[in-house]
Amino acid sequence: MTHIEGMETSTEDTDDSARRSIGARRNPASQEAILDAAEAVLKESGIGGFSIEAVARRARAGKPTIYRWWPNRTALMLDVYKRFKNTRTFPDTGALRSDLIALLENHLLGFWKDSLCGTVYRAIIAEAQNDRDAAASLYTYQVERKAVVLQMVTRAKARGEVDEAVDGTLLVDMVVSFAWHQLLLGRVAEAMDSIEAVVDGLLMGCAGYQRKE
Amino acid sequence: MTHIEGMETSTEDTDDSARRSIGARRNPASQEAILDAAEAVLKESGIGGFSIEAVARRARAGKPTIYRWWPNRTALMLDVYKRFKNTRTFPDTGALRSDLIALLENHLLGFWKDSLCGTVYRAIIAEAQNDRDAAASLYTYQVERKAVVLQMVTRAKARGEVDEAVDGTLLVDMVVSFAWHQLLLGRVAEAMDSIEAVVDGLLMGCAGYQRKE
DNA sequence: ATGTATCGAAACGAGCCGTTTCGTTCAAGT
DNA sequence: ACTTGAACGAAACGGCTCGTTTCGATACAT
């Protein structure tokens, strides 16, 4: 994303000379250089090589500058992630089935496959298993995002497409669960082919129980 | 598990005096002490505090002894996990619905909730996001376990309970996905209440599409 | 003009990494 | 009976990252 194309170390050279203080205030160029560097490090080395030191070297920034604005590396990763998540619009196709398919194709699996957003998100999930603060941040983020997705079901109910008694929370949970599982097993690309089967299985049942023939 | 009850440092004192070599062969007492210590460290400090040094200190063992038998800390965590996974028998209740409910209650969510197996499994999943070898080991383990669970569907087909055309792989994937998602969000205890709704939603559809009334 | 908050650079002590060395204990091979 | 060799615990190695502190230079804010 942004403008990462040069294969050399030119990515972080937003300014030719070294950045300096611009006075008693935050230097936006440094913040952007740090986020760019964090993004690049995650892209190239994954979470294993993601250290504050590595980001600082890459950004030609001082470690105290990073620690001043981000309390820990999880916060930095979350900021990198948030730079991505607004680049695609949420689907409203007029039907729940195609809404969910578009959700998986554009916002979950497809998003993770195309950008390095999947790598960042994997790193955040892994970090949340270690760090209590990261877990809380991730859970809050999940609640927010699922509430937005739940509106797909609400719209379907308003259209009379599904019954009012349907548990939309469960439906959303299952879609997201599937996407997470494939992401964490490194099967995002392969899972793209199963999207329609997953959505149909969720909407109509995987086992053919009580279906009208 | 085993006999962890003493709150002091008595856990690792399987022998009063220090263990020594028993000749040119593996010392089972050391292996058990190391696995006990690894288990205890994971239980008390989580994956964040899980280092080879910490395990060696806790076990009163030398680091070379650990590195001799386990190539990395992921392998050690997997061995800790494998000491648990055979303590409960796989269900065969005679019906697919109750089989899947028992699977979630006894082998996935319930298992993770009751023992520290959930903590260990979270650590392994997190490690798999960093380490390529860990990811491969985890994926292989997943394939094996899912193949065993798939036999539930195979039995149901043999009984004529579900149609031969049903995609059992998808069904198993969805059940496991749900369990993983709740585990990784730290919601295992809360998810226990949703088990029946999840299984019914998977078998008969979450959205009430094409169901006979 | 002064005060102050930022910047990058460098160095700090601490902890863990994975490895090596050392002296020991003792089964296995001769 | 004797030697060989592997496994054991302990200790130390160089290397890396951690999070913090110090420093001089910079330039907005008052």
Side-chain angles (χ1 to χ4, degrees):
Chain A
M1 196 57 59
T2 61
H3 43 68
I4 299 177
E5 288 305 323
M7 297 304 295
E8 298 180 354
T9 57
S10 58
T11 301
E12 67 275 18
D13 295 354
T14 52
D15 298 12
D16 287 349
S17 60
R19 290 179 308 276
R20 298 297 173 88
S21 168
I22 59 172
R25 58 174 184 167
R26 185 195 305 200
N27 186 341
S30 288
Q31 309 307 312
E32 288 184 17
I34 289 167
L35 286 173
D36 285 343
E39 192 177 302
V41 169
L42 271 173
K43 184 178 183 180
E44 295 177 2
S45 310
I47 186 181
F50 186 81
S51 66
I52 299 294
E53 299 234 351
V55 174
R57 275 197 304 269
R58 177 100 188 192
R60 303 197 185 201
K63 284 197 293 177
T65 305
I66 299 180
Y67 282 112
R68 193 189 323 276
W69 302 108
W70 291 276
N72 48 58
R73 69 178 200 160
T74 303
L76 180 55
M77 287 193 296
L78 277 169
D79 268 10
V80 172
Y81 183 73
K82 288 176 181 174
R83 292 210 304 180
F84 283 94
K85 75 174 185 185
N86 292 322
T87 57
R88 298 188 186 190
T89 60
F90 251 107
D92 182 2
T93 63
L96 181 57
R97 179 178 183 274
S98 46
D99 271 2
L100 293 177
I101 290 174
L103 173 72
L104 282 168
E105 285 182 347
N106 298 336
H107 281 262
L108 297 175
L109 297 177
F111 196 21
W112 295 336
K113 179 175 70 70
D114 294 341
S115 64
L116 89 155
C117 197
T119 300
V120 180
Y121 204 48
R122 289 177 67 169
I124 292 171
I125 294 172
E127 191 79 2
Q129 308 311 310
N130 315 348
D131 183 65
R132 195 166 291 272
D133 295 335
S137 300
L138 178 60
Y139 185 73
T140 300
Y141 176 73
Q142 275 281 299
V143 170
E144 293 172 1
R145 297 295 277 181
K146 284 178 182 172
V148 177
V149 176
L150 188 60
Q151 294 177 354
M152 289 181 180
V153 183
T154 305
R155 290 198 303 260
K157 286 181 180 177
R159 288 191 300 261
E161 192 177 347
V162 301
D163 194 88
E164 288 288 338
V166 163
D167 186 350
T169 303
L170 175 62
L171 185 56
V172 172
D173 252 29
M174 295 305 297
V175 172
V176 175
S177 295
F178 170 75
W180 272 43
H181 192 224
Q182 301 300 320
L183 172 68
L184 295 169
L185 285 179
R187 305 282 296 174
V188 170
E190 295 84 347
M192 297 293 293
D193 298 332
S194 310
I195 287 179
E196 289 200 12
V198 168
V199 172
D200 285 339
L202 284 175
L203 291 178
M204 299 184 292
C206 296
Y209 272 28
Q210 294 188 8
R211 292 170 63 182
K212 75 179 168 194
E213 289 82 9
Chain B
M1 195 59 58
T2 61
H3 42 72
I4 300 178
E5 288 303 324
M7 295 305 294
E8 298 180 353
T9 58
S10 58
T11 300
E12 65 275 15
D13 296 354
T14 52
D15 298 14
D16 287 349
S17 60
R19 290 180 308 277
R20 299 296 173 87
S21 170
I22 60 172
R25 57 175 184 166
R26 185 195 305 201
N27 186 342
S30 288
Q31 308 308 311
E32 289 183 15
I34 290 168
L35 286 173
D36 285 343
E39 192 178 303
V41 169
L42 270 173
K43 183 178 183 180
E44 295 176 3
S45 309
I47 186 180
F50 185 81
S51 67
I52 298 293
E53 298 235 351
V55 173
R57 274 197 304 270
R58 177 101 189 191
R60 303 198 185 200
K63 283 198 293 176
T65 304
I66 298 180
Y67 282 113
R68 192 189 326 275
W69 302 107
W70 291 276
N72 49 58
R73 68 178 201 162
T74 302
L76 180 54
M77 287 193 295
L78 277 170
D79 268 10
V80 173
Y81 182 73
K82 287 177 181 174
R83 291 210 303 181
F84 283 93
K85 76 172 185 185
N86 292 322
T87 58
R88 299 187 187 190
T89 59
F90 251 106
D92 182 1
T93 63
L96 181 58
R97 179 179 185 275
S98 46
D99 271 2
L100 293 177
I101 291 174
L103 174 72
L104 281 168
E105 285 183 347
N106 297 335
H107 281 263
L108 297 176
L109 297 176
F111 195 20
W112 295 336
K113 178 175 69 71
D114 295 340
S115 64
L116 88 156
C117 198
T119 300
V120 179
Y121 205 47
R122 289 177 66 168
I124 292 170
I125 294 172
E127 191 79 3
Q129 308 312 310
N130 317 347
D131 183 64
R132 195 165 289 273
D133 294 334
S137 300
L138 178 61
Y139 185 73
T140 300
Y141 176 73
Q142 275 281 301
V143 170
E144 293 172 1
R145 297 294 277 182
K146 284 178 182 171
V148 177
V149 176
L150 188 60
Q151 294 177 354
M152 289 181 179
V153 183
T154 305
R155 289 199 303 261
K157 286 181 180 178
R159 288 191 300 263
E161 193 178 346
V162 300
D163 194 89
E164 288 289 338
V166 162
D167 186 350
T169 303
L170 174 62
L171 185 56
V172 173
D173 250 31
M174 295 304 298
V175 172
V176 176
S177 295
F178 170 75
W180 271 45
H181 192 224
Q182 301 299 321
L183 172 68
L184 295 169
L185 284 179
R187 306 282 296 175
V188 170
E190 296 84 347
M192 296 294 293
D193 298 331
S194 310
I195 287 179
E196 289 200 13
V198 167
V199 172
D200 285 339
L202 284 175
L203 292 178
M204 299 183 294
C206 295
Y209 271 30
Q210 295 189 7
R211 293 170 62 182
K212 73 181 168 193
E213 289 83 11

